[in-house]
Amino acid sequence: MGIRRLVSRTRTALAVTVATVCAVLLLGAPAALAQTVRIDLNPPTVQAGNRVGITANCGDNLNQARVESDAFGQVILQPENGVLTGAVTVPGSKAPGNYNVHLTCANGSTADTNLNVINQTRPTQGPAAGGGGMAGGLDGRTVLIGGLATLALGAGLALATARRRRDGARA
């Protein structure tokens, strides 16, 4: 094999390698950037009136990012330990539903997710079990007569017990 032929093959192989690397970089870079932008809610379903934690990734995460939603308005996320974080309280009067949450990064990238707001009513008092009306009509007079009868019965039993003891002690 001649030197010219060897140089020609080497150039061809080098050109194919460079073209492949360029294609991978050009086609793979947008996909890699698209994967880095995201927003997460904790919890993704929240009772109206409670807080929601927000974490986001905008790539480098060195700058603030803005999050907006009809569920809570706007909040600014701050960089913290390589992640963008923030928290917001959903107003207690917010109607139940699924709300879009939109992230806008400092570099212009965006991401969306959904927040499910629920509004479960909590009872402010115990159940209406009634006022005891089914128990019958015991008025004050009936209670007084029953109490006096119980006292008389107790006094009679005390006297009978005392006589037995006296009679038992004599024998």
Side-chain angles (χ1 to χ4, degrees):
M1 185 183 325
I3 263 249
R4 286 186 187 181
R5 227 171 150 188
L6 182 61
V7 168
S8 176
R9 281 189 175 175
T10 304
R11 283 184 183 165
T12 303
L14 183 61
V16 168
T17 303
V18 168
T20 303
V21 168
C22 288
V24 167
L25 289 176
L26 289 174
L27 296 175
L33 288 176
Q35 291 174 357
T36 61
V37 179
R38 73 168 204 287
I39 181 170
D40 296 308
L41 304 175
N42 185 19
T45 298
V46 66
Q47 167 75 28
N50 289 341
R51 289 182 69 79
V52 176
I54 304 171
T55 57
N57 187 347
C58 284
D60 63 8
N61 295 330
L62 298 176
N63 300 304
Q64 296 177 341
R66 185 179 71 241
V67 175
E68 297 175 286
S69 176
D70 288 340
F72 50 77
Q74 179 178 312
V75 64
I76 301 297
L77 303 183
Q78 301 293 331
E80 185 177 312
N81 298 325
V83 178
L84 298 170
T85 62
V88 66
T89 299
V90 176
S93 60
K94 185 53 64 180
N98 223 0
Y99 293 89
N100 181 56
V101 179
H102 182 74
L103 166 71
T104 303
C105 300
N107 63 11
S109 298
T110 63
D112 291 279
T113 191
N114 288 314
L115 176 64
N116 186 26
V117 176
I118 58 175
N119 197 347
Q120 297 175 334
T121 57
R122 296 183 180 133
T124 57
Q125 63 186 28
M134 296 297 291
L138 292 179
D139 59 358
R141 184 176 178 188
T142 306
V143 172
L144 180 62
I145 292 171
L148 290 174
T150 303
L151 284 174
L153 181 62
L157 285 174
L159 285 173
T161 304
R163 271 192 193 158
R164 272 195 192 161
R165 284 186 187 166
R166 231 182 338 173
D167 291 342
R170 290 184 189 168

